[in-house]
């Protein structure tokens, strides 16, 4: 099978790879659409703590496709079925897993990180993922391209649940990349009264406005805009943005640290007096549960008018390297690859 193989930290090359070997309980999926995440860029450039140096890995964890082989008769899946994949698979036994929080399992596996992922014609879904309900049938009205976005969208639903975004809330999103824009859309869906997006790049601010933000700001303009936000979500991988979030959250404001940043970067200074005297709630979220993923799939049709703006490029698998470069240079927002053809 054709696949984009990555040696983390050194980049990606297209190769002909052996067919994935299925074991009892596994499911094989033909990848019809896979979107590129900034995590893929990070792994290709700098590696990942879960991937031993020198490992050859097929990246890609935002995957939609069709079932081509089922070695799990009890899974209720059939050949030809259209599915999306929840990428994180926990051990199934620890406290996090028992609560359905696979992404928080200390021993998780993930498609595109510890397991070969979706930058390929086919992806093997291991038995444990099948058993935990991570092969999710697509609603009929959701296209493959949209379904690829269910993964990032499910991370966003997790974040908004943590800060309980609600009707009338003033919401600030720091960072206007793909995740920032999705966070702004979900804030709107949850009834926010005001949605403000801050990003240093003028083009991104323009897109945020087109996608329905009430106000768009350069990061340095946030302070003077006002500090009474009910919800602040930090998608920019930047400690200064995290500091800023605490400064501009209003009384009983809820803050979500949505983005992580490289371990070697200096941590922000936390103004704990601000947290104390304003009774702030600071949260962080990472990944999703299978339930968030299902909810994301049902929400996608409502976001359809905006998704076309979010997906700036549609490319064959062969162009994965160029696509990632365009994302890194901020020429592209979300890029979707089509390994089975456009
Ligand atoms: Zn992702
Ligand atoms: Zn676990």
């Amino acid at each position: 099978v054709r696949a984009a193989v990555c040696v983390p930290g050194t980049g990606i090359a297209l190769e002909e790879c052996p067919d994935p070997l299925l074991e009892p309980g596994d499911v094989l999926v033909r990848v019809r659409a896979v979107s590129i995440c900034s995590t893929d860029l990070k792994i290709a450039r700098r590696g990942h703590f879960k991937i031993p140096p020198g490992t050859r890995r097929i990246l890609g964890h935002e995957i939609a496709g069709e079932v081509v082989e089922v070695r799990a008769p009890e899974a209720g899946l059939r050949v030809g079925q259209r599915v999306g994949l929840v990428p994180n698979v926990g051990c199934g036994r620890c406290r996090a897993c028992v609560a359905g929080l696979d992404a928080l399992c200390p021993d998780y596996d993930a498609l595109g990180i510890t397991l070969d992922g979706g930058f390929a014609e086919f992806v093997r879904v291991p038995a444990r993922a099948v058993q935990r309900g991570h092969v999710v049938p697509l609603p009929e009205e959701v296209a493959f391209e949209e379904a690829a976005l269910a993964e990032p969208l499910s991370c966003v639903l997790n974040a908004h649940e943590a800060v309980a975004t609600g009707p009338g809330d003033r919401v600030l999103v720091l960072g206007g990349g793909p995740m920032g824009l999705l966070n702004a859309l979900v804030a709107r869906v949850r009834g926010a009264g005001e949605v403000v997006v801050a990003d240093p790049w003028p083009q991104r601010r323009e897109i945020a406005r087109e996608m329905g933000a009430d106000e768009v700001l350069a990061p340095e303009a946030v302070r003077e805009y006002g500090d009474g936000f009910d919800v602040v979500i930090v998608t920019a991988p930047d400690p200064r943005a995290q500091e800023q979030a605490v400064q501009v959250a209003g009384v009983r404001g809820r803050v979500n640290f949505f983005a992580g940043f490289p371990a070697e970067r200096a941590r922000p200074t936390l103004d704990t007096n601000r947290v104390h005297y304003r009774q702030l709630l600071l949260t962080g979220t990472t990944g999703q549960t299978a339930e968030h993923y299902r909810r994301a799939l049902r929400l996608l049709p409502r976001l359809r008018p905006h998704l076309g703006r979010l997906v700036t490029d549609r490319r064959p698998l062969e162009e994965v390297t160029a696509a990632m470069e365009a994302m890194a240079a901020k020429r592209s927002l979300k890029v979707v690859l089509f390994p089975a053809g456009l």
Side-chain angles (χ1 to χ4, degrees):
V1 300
R2 244 174 327 118
V5 178
C6 176
V7 176
T10 66
I12 285 193
L14 212 78
E15 289 178 21
E16 204 58 43
C17 296
D19 285 356
L21 283 176
L22 293 198
E23 289 173 20
D26 292 354
V27 166
L28 188 67
V29 171
R30 183 194 310 275
V31 180
R32 295 294 302 271
V34 56
S35 43
I36 305 178
C37 176
S38 61
T39 300
D40 299 316
L41 269 68
K42 271 185 261 175
I43 296 172
R45 285 182 164 186
R46 292 199 294 268
H48 190 281
F49 76 100
K50 292 278 264 183
I51 311 177
T55 306
R56 294 159 44 83
R57 177 77 70 236
I58 300 169
L59 305 182
H61 57 268
E62 303 179 354
I63 307 166
E66 57 204 353
V67 173
V68 289
E69 197 176 333
V70 182
R71 299 280 300 273
E74 74 291 352
L77 297 163
R78 55 179 169 74
V79 171
Q81 196 162 19
R82 304 162 70 253
V83 294
L85 303 180
V86 186
N88 299 305
V89 199
C91 71
R93 298 178 302 275
C94 75
R95 209 175 137 202
C97 284
V98 168
L101 305 168
D102 287 53
L104 300 180
C105 174
D107 197 23
Y108 77 92
D109 277 311
L111 295 172
I113 298 177
T114 64
L115 305 164
D116 279 336
F119 292 173
E121 285 177 280
F122 298 98
V123 59
R124 175 180 86 94
V125 186
R128 190 144 49 90
V130 178
Q131 283 159 12
R132 291 184 69 74
H134 289 201
V135 183
V136 186
L138 300 185
E140 205 166 308
E141 69 273 24
V142 173
F144 287 121
E145 173 182 317
E146 294 171 329
L149 303 176
E151 198 282 330
L153 181 59
S154 63
C155 299
V156 172
L157 295 182
N158 190 11
H160 282 271
E161 194 176 278
V163 291
T165 310
D169 277 344
R170 297 187 64 205
V171 178
L172 170 66
V173 180
L174 295 172
M179 298 316 291
L181 295 169
L182 276 177
N183 267 289
L185 286 179
V186 169
R188 191 56 90 199
V189 166
R190 289 181 66 115
E194 181 184 12
V195 180
V196 179
V197 176
D199 193 277
W201 291 68
Q203 319 89 289
R204 296 208 154 175
R205 295 201 291 271
E206 193 48 44
I207 292 168
R209 193 187 284 286
E210 286 169 26
M211 287 175 66
D214 297 298
E215 189 58 83
V216 292
L217 301 169
E220 58 275 15
V222 170
R223 200 80 183 259
E224 34 186 301
Y225 185 79
D227 66 351
F229 290 100
D230 300 297
V231 169
V232 185
I233 296 183
V234 188
T235 68
D238 184 343
R240 288 167 308 174
Q242 295 185 338
E243 287 171 1
Q244 188 171 44
V246 172
Q247 293 305 322
V248 298
V251 166
R252 297 181 78 198
R254 292 94 68 196
V255 175
N256 182 257
F257 298 135
F258 185 89
F261 46 84
E264 66 273 15
R265 280 192 77 170
R267 297 297 190 271
T269 308
L270 179 63
D271 184 347
T272 50
N273 250 3
R274 199 87 180 174
V275 178
H276 173 75
Y277 285 110
R278 292 202 159 193
Q279 283 192 214
L280 303 185
L281 176 69
L282 306 187
T283 70
T285 49
T286 180
Q288 72 287 92
T289 65
E291 172 58 14
H292 289 128
Y293 189 92
R294 283 167 168 75
R295 282 167 43 200
L297 280 177
R298 292 195 293 269
L299 181 58
L300 279 165
R302 266 180 81 184
L303 304 183
R304 190 167 287 147
H306 300 292
L307 296 179
R309 202 72 187 77
L310 189 70
V311 176
T312 53
D313 301 75
R314 297 164 182 81
R315 292 174 179 253
L317 181 63
E318 287 73 14
E319 295 176 19
V320 59
T321 306
M324 287 169 86
E325 278 165 12
M327 282 177 71
K330 307 212 191 292
R331 291 194 303 274
S332 300
L333 281 167
K334 211 68 182 157
V335 180
V336 183
L337 302 172
F338 296 86
L342 282 169

